[in-house]
Amino acid sequence: PTEEGYKGAFQLVTGDSDKVTVDECFGVPIYIDQVEELQNNYSLVNEIGERAGFRLRNEIDKMVLANTVKGTEFQFGDIDETSILRFLVAAKAKLAGDDVEDGDLIAIVDPIVAAYIELKFASSGFSVADATLRNGFAGTAAGFNIFVSNNLPDSEYGEGKVLYVGRRGMIALVMQTEPRMSITPTEDLIGIKMKPYTLFGTGVPTFDAKRFLAAHVAPKDLQTVDSE
């Protein structure tokens, strides 16, 4: 060959030091009267245990989604059925402009925004009604897998929410212990004490914060849309 190998300068690669602090402990202490359970002829332990498990999962969901505000800020403003497609396309363009990899993109939206998406994409099989049976997944729209949640943080710019739009899994969740149940008898009553609890931490690694949007939107009321 007439030319030697590449003689360019080497670049130093540096990294940010990230950590997730496990400091969130949440429990749901419950007392069950076993006499009442016997008279009602059904297992309060099982029923209350299921309810407590839902409370724990819901609390974890709230803490995780509170980190949505740590993404790249994206203010869209008013949103309704007529502008929902423009919002999704604009969000995807913003992600592409920020060099976020295409593929495995999700949008976590509140029920009102989900209703707008359903009105726009119902013919393609999008259904909010089925979302609770599929861990919040309602369908796909404009290249996003859409999930529905009541636990998104409030926007500081109005009465809307901050939506998570971008790569899946950019908010870290560290579970030091899966939800557990401590059951102990009471000394002076005919009953038991149930203490379901969990210990976890959440956070957003520095690099991953650039791979999703904290999308501020202000949805119109659905009744307003229907009356127009």
Side-chain angles (χ1 to χ4, degrees):
T2 58
E3 295 184 7
E4 297 182 7
Y6 177 69
K7 294 183 179 180
F10 289 93
Q11 296 185 10
L12 176 64
V13 176
T14 60
D16 295 303
S17 177
D18 287 315
K19 64 179 180 179
V20 175
T21 303
V22 179
D23 60 355
E24 300 293 342
C25 184
F26 185 76
V28 187
I30 302 164
Y31 168 74
I32 293 181
D33 186 327
Q34 290 180 297
V35 174
E36 180 181 352
E37 181 181 35
L38 180 63
Q39 290 181 323
N40 289 328
N41 196 31
Y42 68 91
S43 177
L44 280 174
V45 172
N46 291 340
E47 181 177 340
I48 298 301
E50 290 180 4
R51 293 183 185 180
F54 173 80
R55 285 283 307 279
L56 290 176
R57 290 192 299 271
N58 196 56
E59 190 67 22
I60 293 172
D61 194 49
K62 286 181 181 179
M63 297 299 296
V64 169
L65 291 179
N67 289 280
T68 299
V69 298
K70 297 178 181 178
T72 300
E73 187 166 298
F74 179 65
Q75 294 186 41
F76 185 80
D78 293 341
I79 192 170
D80 58 19
E81 178 191 356
T82 62
S83 61
I84 187 63
L85 179 58
R86 181 164 56 87
F87 163 71
L88 293 173
V89 171
K92 196 168 187 180
K94 171 63 176 172
L95 290 167
D98 291 344
D99 294 325
V100 177
E101 317 93 296
D102 193 13
D104 203 18
L105 297 178
I106 69 170
I108 305 177
V109 304
D110 69 317
I112 295 179
V113 173
Y116 293 142
I117 299 175
E118 184 171 24
L119 289 170
K120 192 70 176 179
F121 294 94
S123 60
S124 61
F126 188 93
S127 176
V128 175
D130 297 334
T132 55
L133 303 177
R134 298 180 294 190
N135 295 320
F137 177 66
T140 60
F144 291 97
N145 288 318
I146 309 295
F147 293 83
V148 186
S149 176
N150 285 314
N151 294 324
L152 289 162
D154 294 329
S155 172
E156 60 183 88
Y157 300 111
E159 297 182 358
K161 296 290 184 178
V162 184
L163 312 183
Y164 178 107
V165 184
R167 293 282 296 182
R168 183 195 302 267
M170 297 300 99
I171 299 176
L173 170 63
V174 178
M175 301 287 297
Q176 184 164 339
T177 176
E178 295 292 330
R180 295 184 178 185
M181 179 75 75
S182 171
I183 301 178
T184 56
T186 57
E187 296 180 359
D188 53 348
L189 297 171
I190 303 176
I192 58 175
K193 293 179 179 178
M194 298 174 60
K195 295 181 283 292
Y197 67 96
T198 187
L199 182 61
F200 63 96
T202 68
V204 180
T206 303
F207 177 71
D208 289 342
K210 305 172 184 177
R211 302 168 76 195
F212 71 94
L213 305 178
H216 296 258
V217 298
K220 291 183 179 180
D221 185 80
L222 283 176
Q223 294 181 353
T224 303
V225 175
D226 292 339
S227 64
E228 292 179 351

